Amino acid sequence: MRAEFLMSFQLDKESGKKCYMLGGKELYIALKDDNEYWKWGHIVESRFAELCILKKVCWLEIRGKIASIMLSRNNTYVVYLVYQTTSDSHGHTVPATTTVSFCGIGMVTENVYLQRPEASEIWQENYVFPHKRNDGWMEIKLGEFEYNDEDNGEVEMAYVENKWRHWKKGLIVEGIELRPK
């Protein structure tokens, strides 16, 4: 029987602080267990045995939670959605809203895009776009939070695109990563 990893752990090379990635099996992804909309697969570049691969949905909702006690205290963490798109992906050029909350303090970001809309559209400074990581994956910042000595509880994070009712496909979700700032 093969072990199934729901999250990965590593230490930040510069600070020595804890980093975690919650894999697709650990995340709440709307309709992820309905094989009409999502499928499970693997790609070599992933740290997880199974990845959640989008077949088609008209709204996209990805949520995660982690106990703060697992993190390094007295630190600011940045939270990212880590993903790739397939060659036939579409529908990811509409804005989403992200949230990161901890100890009653929440950070909400609007106009977050998994892919840049056409260049002819008007850009605003507050739009959030992804960037390519050194490992070949894409990442989009969901938000950040501070974790201090006296804080305890769960960190909750979300990416939600459900206002547009626009069909989308071709998203490979590796997970949600928390890294020290």
Side-chain angles (χ1 to χ4, degrees), residues 96-109:
T97 300
T98 64
T99 57
V100 174
S101 60
F102 178 58
C103 288
I105 299 171
M107 176 181 191
V108 177
T109 306

Side-chain angles (χ1 to χ4, degrees), residues 19-20 66 71 77-79 145 155 157 176-179:
C19 303
Y20 282 94
I66 190 169
L71 304 172
Y77 273 89
V78 183
V79 181
F145 65 96
V155 180
M157 53 229 104
I176 293 180
E177 188 171 50
L178 295 90
R179 295 196 308 258

Side-chain angles (χ1 to χ4, degrees), residues 158-175:
Y159 175 95
V160 180
E161 189 278 292
N162 63 4
K163 295 179 260 185
W164 297 89
R165 302 289 183 217
H166 182 78
W167 286 96
K168 50 199 101 332
K169 73 176 199 173
L171 181 71
I172 304 169
V173 178
E174 183 170 43

Side-chain angles (χ1 to χ4, degrees), residues 49-66:
E50 287 190 291
L51 301 171
C52 205
I53 303 169
L54 177 60
K55 291 165 78 175
K56 65 175 181 177
V57 293
C58 63
W59 83 91
L60 185 57
E61 183 175 350
I62 303 171
R63 296 181 181 277
K65 289 187 214 185
I66 190 169

Side-chain angles (χ1 to χ4, degrees), residues 92-154:
H92 303 294
T93 58
V94 294
T97 300
T98 64
T99 57
V100 174
S101 60
F102 178 58
C103 288
I105 299 171
M107 176 181 191
V108 177
T109 306
E110 295 184 355
N111 297 314
V112 178
Y113 293 82
L114 292 180
Q115 291 181 325
R116 285 184 177 265
E118 294 297 317
S120 62
E121 303 221 2
I122 299 172
W123 301 112
Q124 295 184 14
E125 287 182 30
N126 63 343
Y127 285 9
V128 179
F129 299 110
H131 73 274
K132 194 166 193 165
R133 298 159 39 119
N134 291 337
D135 62 6
W137 289 89
M138 299 297 291
E139 71 179 13
I140 190 80
K141 182 179 175 181
L142 302 182
E144 56 186 69
F145 65 96
E146 289 185 33
Y147 177 41
N148 297 308
D149 281 333
E150 66 276 358
D151 298 334
N152 284 311
E154 285 189 320

